[in-house]
Amino acid sequence: MAEKPICMSTQVPDDEDTQKEDNIRGLTMLGHFGFDCLPHQLVNKSVQQGFFFNILCVGETGIGKSTLIDTLFNTNLKDKKSSHFYSNVGLKIQTHELQESNVQLKLTVVKTVGYGDQINKESSYHPIVDYIDAQFESYLQEEWKIKRSFADYHDSRVHVCLYFISPTGHSLKPLDLLTMKNIDTKVNIIPLIAKADTISKSDLQKFKCKIMSELVSNGIQIYQFPTDDEADANVNYSMNGLLPFAIVGSTDEVKVGKRMVRGRQYPWGVLQVENENHCDFVKLRDMLLYTNMEDLKEQTHTQHYERYRCCKLQKMGFVDVGPDNQPVSFQEIYEAKRQEFFDQCQREEEELKQKFMQRVKEKETAFKESEKELQDKFEHLKRVQQEETMKLEEERRQLEEEIIDFYKMKAASETLHTLVCTNIKKDKDRKK
Ligand SMILES: Nc1nc2c(ncn2[C@@H]2O[C@H](COP(=O)(O)OP(=O)(O)O)[C@@H](O)[C@H]2O)c(=O)[nH]1
Ligand SMILES: [Mg+2]
């Protein structure tokens, strides 16, 4: 039974109604309709579908990333110890299906590999930025598909980046500032002081203040737990004041009194991971998993992904309003772009044609010139050859004349010789 009047907007409100909310007509319900169970439908559906959460852990090798993830989810994800000798920063992506009572969680953990191990660290943040953008791009492509299948789609957009800060007690390293500066508009950053058991309580407090002032002075935006929801406003507000969380990770069970607790055993005592006086691990777990997981996902979608999508569309030339401040439709821009592209293609085609014609003309002229040169050369050679032939003809004629003369002379000399011989013989015969 409904006890107090409920505002039911069963009619389309007229103008006056929309202007003055008090005018919305309240109806007294006469019976129980059951729509107070509507939230259960959502809960059941969500439980059936299962939940997913994507964490990015950024921090130097050996800073405690794998240990913290195991401590957070009470798992042993069997991560091998990383080497310090990678020449570039890489990312290791692992997806795990976890179950607690009847709730399933698909957890994707992306950890940096080799982060902070190079001498030149200027481009160490590139693989991280590229990975975050690639997940946005993949989601955007899915949105743009004609046949979308978000039911089967694995949304890998990063919901939170746990940034592990070295427990130096001094200040952030240039690499920390550079990386956070480049990812703070793309992902929800929660800064953590890693291995906080290696730093004293008073130093820790000073270190936290120093880190926060450095983040502010460098204009780095970290994730703020939301304070607009009354239910969590107080706790979230106080948690914002405790950032960066001082974290200790361990999956080892240590005996404290009669209880077994997760902690780290030292010669002087036990550090209990889940003791809020010892470190902020429980606060982080509560904030991350119990209180703000949905907000982290929402911020990822509404802030970071939205920013990526806007930039992408703007880069492609899409706008919401034209120069005259009038709304422009997607189709209008698409058609204008298409026309622009078509015109450009035509312009380029025309340019190519002109260039081609020019080249053809140049080649033609060159061919004509070389043809003329060849022709001249041919004519010249022909003339030379004709002259040579005439010369040879003349020589041949002279030689033939000389041969005729020679034969004439030969015949005359033979005649003379015969005559002389005859006379000599006659003389001899006479003398006898
Ligand atoms: N003192 C201390 N040691 C830790 C902590 N977390 C992890 N370790 C140790 O640091 C070493 C490297 O941890 P690991 O999680 O493999 O680092 P990762 O390379 O960042 O994944 C291991 O020997 C851990 O036992 C911590 O909170 N405090
Ligand atoms: Mg590791």
Side-chain angles (χ1 to χ4, degrees), residues 293-332:
M293 188 190 270
E294 277 309 312
D295 185 67
L296 285 162
K297 289 169 89 169
E298 197 181 306
Q299 293 295 322
T300 303
H301 186 69
T302 57
Q303 299 290 321
H304 304 304
Y305 171 67
E306 201 53 25
R307 189 175 290 120
Y308 178 84
R309 198 183 65 86
C310 280
C311 287
K312 181 90 188 193
L313 286 174
Q314 277 167 357
K315 261 190 213 159
M316 289 168 77
F318 288 100
V319 285
D320 289 335
V321 285
D324 48 359
N325 238 9
Q326 290 299 309
V328 192
S329 80
F330 200 80
Q331 184 160 355
E332 278 173 326

Side-chain angles (χ1 to χ4, degrees), residues 66 79-80 82 111:
S66 306
D79 209 357
K80 272 190 264 154
S82 299
K111 288 176 217 150

Side-chain angles (χ1 to χ4, degrees), residues 67-214:
T67 312
L68 180 71
I69 293 296
D70 277 344
T71 320
L72 267 178
F73 295 97
N74 206 9
T75 50
N76 184 2
L77 302 178
K78 297 204 172 51
D79 209 357
K80 272 190 264 154
K81 276 200 174 156
S82 299
S83 149
H84 281 275
F85 301 102
Y86 289 106
S87 52
N88 290 309
V89 175
L91 293 172
K92 190 172 179 180
I93 306 158
Q94 292 168 312
T95 300
H96 312 278
E97 306 265 356
L98 306 178
Q99 178 150 11
E100 197 170 61
S101 36
N102 66 337
V103 178
Q104 294 210 323
L105 176 69
K106 189 170 187 172
L107 175 73
T108 301
V109 182
V110 182
K111 288 176 217 150
T112 52
V113 178
Y115 186 76
D117 290 333
Q118 294 74 35
I119 294 170
N120 185 348
K121 301 182 180 68
E122 263 174 37
S123 55
S124 293
Y125 70 88
H126 288 177
I128 302 167
V129 169
D130 292 347
Y131 177 79
I132 298 170
D133 282 346
Q135 311 322 303
F136 286 149
E137 183 61 32
S138 157
Y139 190 87
L140 189 64
Q141 291 302 327
E142 188 62 34
E143 273 192 336
W144 282 350
K145 274 186 187 169
I146 294 175
K147 200 172 170 208
R148 298 189 291 183
S149 53
F150 275 114
D152 309 322
Y153 177 74
H154 177 218
D155 183 357
S156 53
R157 291 173 299 171
V158 180
H159 299 127
V160 66
C161 165
L162 299 179
Y163 194 93
F164 291 68
I165 299 164
S166 269
T168 57
H170 294 284
S171 55
L172 288 167
K173 297 179 183 180
L175 175 61
D176 298 328
L177 293 170
L178 185 66
T179 303
M180 284 198 261
K181 187 89 198 130
N182 280 284
I183 61 172
D184 70 346
T185 51
K186 295 174 182 288
V187 69
N188 301 309
I189 302 176
I190 299 185
L192 309 176
I193 298 174
K195 298 189 180 180
D197 50 331
T198 58
I199 192 165
S200 77
K201 200 172 176 179
S202 58
D203 283 350
L204 187 64
Q205 213 38 56
K206 283 184 215 147
F207 191 33
K208 278 191 176 193
C209 294
K210 183 85 189 344
I211 290 170
M212 288 314 285
S213 76
E214 278 187 335

